[in-house]
mmCIF file of all heavy atoms in Angstrom:
data_model
loop_
_atom_site.group_PDB
_atom_site.id
_atom_site.type_symbol
_atom_site.label_atom_id
_atom_site.label_comp_id
_atom_site.label_asym_id
_atom_site.label_seq_id
_atom_site.Cartn_x
_atom_site.Cartn_y
_atom_site.Cartn_z
ATOM 1 N N ASN A 1 0.829 -1.210 0.000
ATOM 2 C CA ASN A 1 0.000 0.000 0.000
ATOM 3 C C ASN A 1 0.860 1.254 0.000
ATOM 4 O O ASN A 1 0.525 2.261 -0.648
ATOM 5 C CB ASN A 1 -0.919 0.023 1.220
ATOM 6 C CG ASN A 1 -2.038 -1.023 1.101
ATOM 7 O OD1 ASN A 1 -2.384 -1.426 -0.018
ATOM 8 N ND2 ASN A 1 -2.554 -1.474 2.234
ATOM 9 N N ASP A 3 3.842 1.499 -1.342
ATOM 10 C CA ASP A 3 4.370 1.667 -2.699
ATOM 11 C C ASP A 3 3.332 2.294 -3.623
ATOM 12 O O ASP A 3 3.659 3.141 -4.469
ATOM 13 C CB ASP A 3 4.800 0.311 -3.262
ATOM 14 C CG ASP A 3 6.029 -0.241 -2.548
ATOM 15 O OD1 ASP A 3 6.753 0.576 -1.949
ATOM 16 O OD2 ASP A 3 6.246 -1.463 -2.629
ATOM 17 N N LYS A 4 2.070 1.877 -3.478
ATOM 18 C CA LYS A 4 1.015 2.446 -4.311
ATOM 19 C C LYS A 4 0.847 3.934 -4.035
ATOM 20 O O LYS A 4 0.659 4.738 -4.955
ATOM 21 C CB LYS A 4 -0.303 1.726 -4.056
ATOM 22 C CG LYS A 4 -0.348 0.323 -4.640
ATOM 23 C CD LYS A 4 -1.715 -0.307 -4.402
ATOM 24 C CE LYS A 4 -1.764 -1.720 -4.989
ATOM 25 N NZ LYS A 4 -3.080 -2.353 -4.779
ATOM 26 N N GLU A 16 0.829 17.740 -12.118
ATOM 27 C CA GLU A 16 0.851 19.144 -11.707
ATOM 28 C C GLU A 16 1.916 19.924 -12.477
ATOM 29 O O GLU A 16 1.699 21.076 -12.878
ATOM 30 C CB GLU A 16 1.098 19.250 -10.199
ATOM 31 C CG GLU A 16 -0.094 18.786 -9.367
ATOM 32 C CD GLU A 16 0.220 18.805 -7.870
ATOM 33 O OE1 GLU A 16 1.420 18.942 -7.536
ATOM 34 O OE2 GLU A 16 -0.720 18.676 -7.066
ATOM 35 N N ALA A 18 3.067 19.134 -15.462
ATOM 36 C CA ALA A 18 2.595 19.256 -16.836
ATOM 37 C C ALA A 18 1.517 20.329 -16.962
ATOM 38 O O ALA A 18 1.444 21.066 -17.951
ATOM 39 C CB ALA A 18 2.058 17.915 -17.328
ATOM 40 N N VAL A 27 -7.725 32.789 -28.716
ATOM 41 C CA VAL A 27 -9.019 32.783 -29.392
ATOM 42 C C VAL A 27 -8.799 33.178 -30.853
ATOM 43 O O VAL A 27 -8.153 34.195 -31.135
ATOM 44 C CB VAL A 27 -9.991 33.767 -28.728
ATOM 45 C CG1 VAL A 27 -11.331 33.774 -29.471
ATOM 46 C CG2 VAL A 27 -10.168 33.395 -27.264
ATOM 47 N N PRO A 28 -9.256 32.357 -31.843
ATOM 48 C CA PRO A 28 -9.037 32.697 -33.258
ATOM 49 C C PRO A 28 -9.704 34.008 -33.634
ATOM 50 O O PRO A 28 -10.781 34.341 -33.146
ATOM 51 C CB PRO A 28 -9.664 31.511 -34.003
ATOM 52 C CG PRO A 28 -10.623 30.916 -33.049
ATOM 53 C CD PRO A 28 -10.035 31.131 -31.671
ATOM 54 N N GLU A 30 -11.705 36.638 -35.702
ATOM 55 C CA GLU A 30 -12.952 36.506 -36.442
ATOM 56 C C GLU A 30 -12.695 36.766 -37.933
ATOM 57 O O GLU A 30 -12.024 37.733 -38.303
ATOM 58 C CB GLU A 30 -13.964 37.511 -35.912
ATOM 59 C CG GLU A 30 -15.364 37.309 -36.481
ATOM 60 C CD GLU A 30 -16.364 38.229 -35.818
ATOM 61 O OE1 GLU A 30 -16.194 38.495 -34.617
ATOM 62 O OE2 GLU A 30 -17.285 38.670 -36.513
ATOM 63 N N GLN A 39 -12.879 34.003 -50.778
ATOM 64 C CA GLN A 39 -12.648 32.560 -50.813
ATOM 65 C C GLN A 39 -13.758 31.850 -51.587
ATOM 66 O O GLN A 39 -13.505 30.915 -52.359
ATOM 67 C CB GLN A 39 -12.583 32.012 -49.376
ATOM 68 C CG GLN A 39 -11.366 32.458 -48.579
ATOM 69 C CD GLN A 39 -10.089 31.842 -49.107
ATOM 70 O OE1 GLN A 39 -10.094 30.736 -49.618
ATOM 71 N NE2 GLN A 39 -8.991 32.577 -48.998
ATOM 72 N N ALA A 44 -15.497 28.940 -56.351
ATOM 73 C CA ALA A 44 -16.523 28.846 -57.391
ATOM 74 C C ALA A 44 -15.885 28.889 -58.774
ATOM 75 O O ALA A 44 -16.282 28.150 -59.683
ATOM 76 C CB ALA A 44 -17.525 29.982 -57.232
ATOM 77 N N LEU A 54 -14.367 19.044 -67.655
ATOM 78 C CA LEU A 54 -14.946 17.697 -67.656
ATOM 79 C C LEU A 54 -16.073 17.571 -68.672
ATOM 80 O O LEU A 54 -16.205 16.544 -69.351
ATOM 81 C CB LEU A 54 -15.464 17.355 -66.256
ATOM 82 C CG LEU A 54 -14.395 17.151 -65.175
ATOM 83 C CD1 LEU A 54 -15.047 16.935 -63.812
ATOM 84 C CD2 LEU A 54 -13.506 15.959 -65.516
ATOM 85 N N LEU A 69 -20.241 9.351 -88.978
ATOM 86 C CA LEU A 69 -19.570 10.217 -89.939
ATOM 87 C C LEU A 69 -19.897 11.656 -89.585
ATOM 88 O O LEU A 69 -21.059 12.032 -89.501
ATOM 89 C CB LEU A 69 -20.059 9.893 -91.356
ATOM 90 C CG LEU A 69 -19.498 10.768 -92.482
ATOM 91 C CD1 LEU A 69 -18.025 10.462 -92.704
ATOM 92 C CD2 LEU A 69 -20.284 10.533 -93.762
ATOM 93 N N ASP A 72 -17.558 15.625 -94.436
ATOM 94 C CA ASP A 72 -17.231 15.045 -95.741
ATOM 95 C C ASP A 72 -15.724 14.819 -95.878
ATOM 96 O O ASP A 72 -15.286 13.896 -96.562
ATOM 97 C CB ASP A 72 -17.729 15.952 -96.862
ATOM 98 C CG ASP A 72 -17.250 17.385 -96.712
ATOM 99 O OD1 ASP A 72 -17.656 18.052 -95.741
ATOM 100 O OD2 ASP A 72 -16.480 17.859 -97.565
ATOM 101 N N GLY A 85 -20.648 15.827 -104.161
ATOM 102 C CA GLY A 85 -21.380 17.019 -103.742
ATOM 103 C C GLY A 85 -21.776 16.911 -102.280
ATOM 104 O O GLY A 85 -21.978 15.804 -101.771
ATOM 105 N N ARG A 105 -17.892 29.586 -90.178
ATOM 106 C CA ARG A 105 -17.181 30.633 -90.914
ATOM 107 C C ARG A 105 -15.673 30.428 -90.830
ATOM 108 O O ARG A 105 -14.952 30.642 -91.818
ATOM 109 C CB ARG A 105 -17.554 32.018 -90.357
ATOM 110 C CG ARG A 105 -18.959 32.465 -90.730
ATOM 111 C CD ARG A 105 -19.153 33.949 -90.481
ATOM 112 N NE ARG A 105 -19.061 34.266 -89.058
ATOM 113 C CZ ARG A 105 -20.077 34.241 -88.219
ATOM 114 N NH1 ARG A 105 -21.296 33.920 -88.659
ATOM 115 N NH2 ARG A 105 -19.920 34.554 -86.941
ATOM 116 N N LYS A 109 -17.088 27.054 -94.277
ATOM 117 C CA LYS A 109 -18.244 26.266 -94.692
ATOM 118 C C LYS A 109 -19.555 26.954 -94.332
ATOM 119 O O LYS A 109 -20.573 26.306 -94.125
ATOM 120 C CB LYS A 109 -18.198 24.875 -94.036
ATOM 121 C CG LYS A 109 -16.979 24.050 -94.453
ATOM 122 C CD LYS A 109 -16.992 22.689 -93.806
ATOM 123 C CE LYS A 109 -15.803 21.855 -94.256
ATOM 124 N NZ LYS A 109 -15.777 20.511 -93.634
ATOM 125 N N LEU A 119 -27.153 19.351 -106.749
ATOM 126 C CA LEU A 119 -27.482 18.290 -107.706
ATOM 127 C C LEU A 119 -26.815 18.539 -109.063
ATOM 128 O O LEU A 119 -26.344 17.598 -109.719
ATOM 129 C CB LEU A 119 -28.995 18.181 -107.878
ATOM 130 C CG LEU A 119 -29.763 17.580 -106.694
ATOM 131 C CD1 LEU A 119 -31.265 17.727 -106.898
ATOM 132 C CD2 LEU A 119 -29.392 16.119 -106.493
ATOM 133 N N LEU A 137 -25.182 2.074 -109.720
ATOM 134 C CA LEU A 137 -25.987 1.763 -108.539
ATOM 135 C C LEU A 137 -25.847 2.904 -107.539
ATOM 136 O O LEU A 137 -24.740 3.273 -107.149
ATOM 137 C CB LEU A 137 -25.512 0.454 -107.899
ATOM 138 C CG LEU A 137 -26.132 0.103 -106.545
ATOM 139 C CD1 LEU A 137 -27.640 -0.121 -106.673
ATOM 140 C CD2 LEU A 137 -25.456 -1.127 -105.935
ATOM 141 N N ALA A 151 -32.067 9.550 -107.122
ATOM 142 C CA ALA A 151 -31.898 8.903 -108.425
ATOM 143 C C ALA A 151 -32.828 9.530 -109.460
ATOM 144 O O ALA A 151 -32.428 9.779 -110.611
ATOM 145 C CB ALA A 151 -32.166 7.409 -108.305
ATOM 146 N N ARG A 191 -24.234 12.869 -92.675
ATOM 147 C CA ARG A 191 -23.450 13.288 -91.517
ATOM 148 C C ARG A 191 -24.251 13.124 -90.229
ATOM 149 O O ARG A 191 -25.450 13.346 -90.199
ATOM 150 C CB ARG A 191 -23.022 14.761 -91.669
ATOM 151 C CG ARG A 191 -21.917 14.989 -92.696
ATOM 152 C CD ARG A 191 -21.833 16.438 -93.121
ATOM 153 N NE ARG A 191 -22.959 16.800 -93.965
ATOM 154 C CZ ARG A 191 -23.095 17.997 -94.552
ATOM 155 N NH1 ARG A 191 -22.181 18.924 -94.382
ATOM 156 N NH2 ARG A 191 -24.137 18.253 -95.311
ATOM 157 N N LYS A 195 -22.927 5.373 -89.985
ATOM 158 C CA LYS A 195 -21.854 4.810 -89.171
ATOM 159 C C LYS A 195 -20.651 4.456 -90.045
ATOM 160 O O LYS A 195 -20.809 3.848 -91.113
ATOM 161 C CB LYS A 195 -22.345 3.551 -88.457
ATOM 162 C CG LYS A 195 -23.469 3.789 -87.461
ATOM 163 C CD LYS A 195 -22.935 4.264 -86.135
ATOM 164 C CE LYS A 195 -24.029 4.273 -85.078
ATOM 165 N NZ LYS A 195 -23.523 4.676 -83.761
ATOM 166 N N GLN A 198 -20.327 0.807 -90.896
ATOM 167 C CA GLN A 198 -21.240 0.347 -91.945
ATOM 168 C C GLN A 198 -20.752 0.770 -93.329
ATOM 169 O O GLN A 198 -20.879 0.024 -94.308
ATOM 170 C CB GLN A 198 -22.649 0.897 -91.693
ATOM 171 C CG GLN A 198 -23.283 0.434 -90.393
ATOM 172 C CD GLN A 198 -23.414 -1.075 -90.311
ATOM 173 O OE1 GLN A 198 -23.819 -1.715 -91.268
ATOM 174 N NE2 GLN A 198 -23.054 -1.637 -89.176
ATOM 175 N N LYS A 210 -15.083 -5.922 -107.313
ATOM 176 C CA LYS A 210 -14.223 -5.102 -108.185
ATOM 177 C C LYS A 210 -15.030 -4.084 -108.984
ATOM 178 O O LYS A 210 -14.790 -3.862 -110.184
ATOM 179 C CB LYS A 210 -13.399 -5.996 -109.117
ATOM 180 C CG LYS A 210 -12.452 -6.936 -108.367
ATOM 181 C CD LYS A 210 -11.650 -7.796 -109.315
ATOM 182 C CE LYS A 210 -10.716 -8.718 -108.530
ATOM 183 N NZ LYS A 210 -9.899 -9.584 -109.434
ATOM 184 N N LEU A 219 -25.035 14.030 -97.351
ATOM 185 C CA LEU A 219 -26.223 14.771 -96.905
ATOM 186 C C LEU A 219 -25.935 15.471 -95.580
ATOM 187 O O LEU A 219 -25.110 15.038 -94.802
ATOM 188 C CB LEU A 219 -27.397 13.809 -96.746
ATOM 189 C CG LEU A 219 -27.786 12.974 -97.977
ATOM 190 C CD1 LEU A 219 -28.955 12.083 -97.659
ATOM 191 C CD2 LEU A 219 -28.115 13.874 -99.159
#
Side-chain angles (χ1 to χ4, degrees):
N1 289 336
D3 291 338
K4 287 183 180 180
E16 289 176 347
V27 179
E30 189 174 326
Q39 292 291 329
L54 291 175
L69 177 70
D72 53 294
R105 287 195 295 272
K109 297 181 178 180
L119 288 171
L137 172 64
R191 287 162 288 184
K195 296 278 190 177
Q198 298 301 316
K210 298 180 180 180
L219 304 180

